[in-house]
Amino acid sequence: MITKLEVFSAQPGAPELSLGGFFPNLDPVQIRDIDGLGPVKADIPTTPFATGDGELLNGDPTVGKRNIVLKLGFNPNWVDQTITSLRRILYRYLLPKSWCKLRFFSDDMPTVDIEGHVESC
């Protein structure tokens, strides 16, 4: 099970954004769901035999892109945070076209990093 997620930005001076952890219900930005972490389908190039059954491997198999979708919720404290201010924090890390790195922590697997570009926010 994933216990914590850290988000890194290419913007200078942006510290890692830590989501989850010991008290996730008290976090201002909460992870509601994460999709796209399962195995990705491989593309295996083959050529069918002209005179018989089967196919011939025609190059190296490749793995397509991964599409990770984070469903996030806002939990402002309303004293010094609003939904708008929390949204601005996320924009420092997850603006479309920008590079980001996600670091996943788990209680039963090693820590894993994945880098990519944001498609939408």
Side-chain angles (χ1 to χ4, degrees):
M1 178 167 98
I2 295 174
T3 57
K4 188 170 96 170
L5 169 65
E6 289 179 349
V7 183
F8 297 86
S9 171
Q11 289 190 7
E16 73 269 0
L17 175 64
S18 185
L19 304 173
F22 293 114
F23 302 107
N25 291 337
L26 302 177
D27 284 348
V29 178
Q30 299 174 337
I31 299 173
R32 302 283 169 88
D33 193 18
I34 303 175
D35 290 329
L37 296 180
V40 179
K41 184 178 184 290
D43 295 320
I44 302 176
T46 59
T47 303
F49 291 129
T51 58
D53 295 337
E55 295 181 339
L56 176 66
L57 184 62
N58 186 5
D60 292 330
T62 59
V63 177
K65 69 178 182 176
R66 181 178 295 276
N67 187 21
I68 297 175
V69 178
L70 301 175
K71 294 179 185 166
L72 304 173
F74 297 113
N75 184 28
N77 63 16
W78 301 110
V79 174
D80 58 350
Q81 296 172 336
T82 63
I83 290 178
T84 303
S85 68
L86 294 176
R87 190 180 309 265
R88 282 191 197 119
I89 291 171
L90 283 182
Y91 287 161
R92 292 181 69 187
Y93 299 88
L94 300 174
L95 269 180
K97 298 193 317 183
S98 66
W99 173 91
C100 75
K101 177 168 71 171
L102 303 176
R103 178 170 290 155
F104 295 94
F105 294 88
S106 174
D107 55 4
D108 61 344
M109 295 179 66
T111 301
V112 176
D113 290 353
I114 187 165
E115 298 179 19
H117 289 84
V118 178
E119 185 177 301
S120 67
C121 180

